[in-house]
Amino acid sequence: MSTDQTAPERARPRPSTNPRGRILPHLAGRAPAAAPGSVLHGVSGATAVMLLLVAIGAALHEPVLIPPLAASAAIVHSAPGLPLAQPRSVIAGHLLCAAVGYAGLAAFGSSPWVAALAAGLALAVMTVARTPHSPACATAVVIVLGTPDPRTFVPLLAGAALLVVLAGVALSRARRTGPRYPQYWW
């Protein structure tokens, strides 16, 4: 092969003169885009259940909407097919992590170090119990740092987690298309 032969040039896309045309495709990444109807359905469902938790908390004068439950609602309503969105993982995950949080609090007191340790141990317990639910790790942290009374916190946590799941079921049944929730209960 002689050195004077060159490979044909590949056609290069012309750069866009619109800066958004060059930047937005890179920001979107490779993740598939959700259908607009499913986004609206998921966002409205998650928002409705969080507002309901706030209303229940206001009526009881207790905080029911804690950050881990907001994250749980987001997962249940935006990714209902994932294993960590299933009822077993949502409800049992929060309750197991609450137990780990209270055990850490009883053994070592309230500190960021204990909270970090409780989160790691909570993840281990959920993994062994086959109840993966990442927001539940934060439940252990909330317990260690906030030191809520278990007599009120645990029943409210269980009820709120159940409400997140039931809202996911109801909204799934209300929609004709889209994934059914739950994929399995236990």
Side-chain angles (χ1 to χ4, degrees):
M1 192 169 187
S2 74
T3 57
D4 56 327
Q5 291 179 351
T6 60
E9 283 192 41
R10 292 188 177 144
R12 294 184 189 162
R14 295 185 62 189
S16 172
T17 57
N18 178 358
R20 287 178 52 189
R22 291 184 303 223
I23 296 171
L24 288 181
H26 295 290
L27 293 177
R30 294 185 179 180
S38 93
V39 170
L40 179 62
H41 185 77
V43 168
S44 62
T47 303
V49 75
M50 288 185 281
L51 289 170
L52 182 58
L53 290 174
V54 169
I56 292 169
L60 297 174
H61 305 290
E62 292 284 340
V64 178
L65 177 64
I66 58 172
L69 288 171
S72 296
I75 289 172
V76 166
H77 292 281
S78 67
L82 292 179
L84 59 114
Q86 302 312 307
R88 170 189 170 101
S89 294
V90 175
I91 298 167
H94 279 292
L95 292 176
L96 287 171
C97 291
V100 170
Y102 280 116
L105 184 61
F108 304 110
S110 177
S111 81
W113 298 100
V114 176
L117 180 62
L121 289 175
L123 178 60
V125 168
M126 284 190 301
T127 302
V128 169
R130 294 185 302 136
T131 57
H133 190 66
S134 51
C137 288
T139 297
V141 171
V142 165
I143 288 169
V144 171
L145 295 179
T147 65
D149 182 354
R151 293 173 296 181
T152 56
F153 186 82
V154 174
L156 288 173
L157 176 68
L162 180 62
L163 186 61
V164 167
V165 166
L166 292 177
V169 172
L171 288 170
S172 170
R173 301 301 186 263
R175 187 170 180 188
R176 293 182 191 262
T177 61
R180 282 287 183 228
Y181 178 78
Q183 301 289 321
Y184 53 89
W185 282 93
W186 194 252

